[in-house]
Amino acid sequence: KFNPEAQPFNILSTMKLNRLIPIALKAMMAAPVAAVIGLAAANPMECQAQRIVKSINLKGKIGGKYSFTMHLNQYSDKTINGTYFYGNGKNGSLGIAGYREDNGKIVLMEYNDKSEMTGYWNIVIRKQNGKFVMSGNMINYKGTKYPLTSYQF
C-alpha cells in the first residue's frame, strides 16, 4: 500500500528499481542532490545561464487515490525541477528534479527535505484542449509502481 509519509530509500540498492532505471539516470542520481536540483550543473554560473522555458501547475492523483498538487519548471537545457505535495499540503512538500528526453518523456526523482530520494516518476506531459495533461507512473521507495494522471489548473 502506498504511503506518502513512508521512510526514504536508497534507490541505488533497491533491486526492483535498478532494473527499471537506465544507467545514465543512475549516474545522475549518484551525483550530489544539490547538483541535480540545481539543474545538474557543477558550476553555479551554468545554472544562472539556464532560463525557464515552461512553468506549469498541475493537480492529480497517484494510483487513482492520493491527490497531489505540483509545480514544475522546465529550463532551456531540458532539465526540470519543482515541488509537489499530497492533499492540502499540511505535511509539507517534496522536491522533484529530472530532465525531458528528446522523445518527450520526462524522468523525475523526488526528494524529501533531507535530500533523500523517495520516488521516481516516468511521465509524459502533453497538451489537451489547450491545457497540459500529465500521465505516467510513479515508483515509491518500496519499488511499487502506481499510475498517475494530472491536469493543469
Side-chain angles (χ1 to χ4, degrees), residues 64-85:
K65 187 174 178 182
Y66 303 99
S67 65
F68 70 94
T69 301
M70 178 180 284
H71 174 78
L72 292 175
N73 293 316
Q74 181 178 324
Y75 295 83
S76 55
D77 66 351
K78 297 187 181 178
T79 56
I80 296 171
N81 68 12
T83 59
Y84 83 100
F85 59 86

Side-chain angles (χ1 to χ4, degrees), residues 5-54:
E5 296 178 13
Q7 295 296 313
F9 66 108
N10 178 342
I11 195 164
L12 296 177
S13 66
T14 304
M15 292 304 289
K16 285 183 184 178
L17 290 175
N18 277 338
R19 288 190 298 265
L20 299 172
I21 301 171
I23 293 171
L25 181 57
K26 282 187 187 179
M28 188 171 135
M29 289 185 303
V33 171
V36 173
I37 291 175
L39 308 179
N43 179 345
M45 296 307 288
E46 291 178 40
C47 292
Q48 293 173 1
Q50 301 304 320
R51 63 180 179 82
I52 295 174
V53 294
K54 190 180 297 179

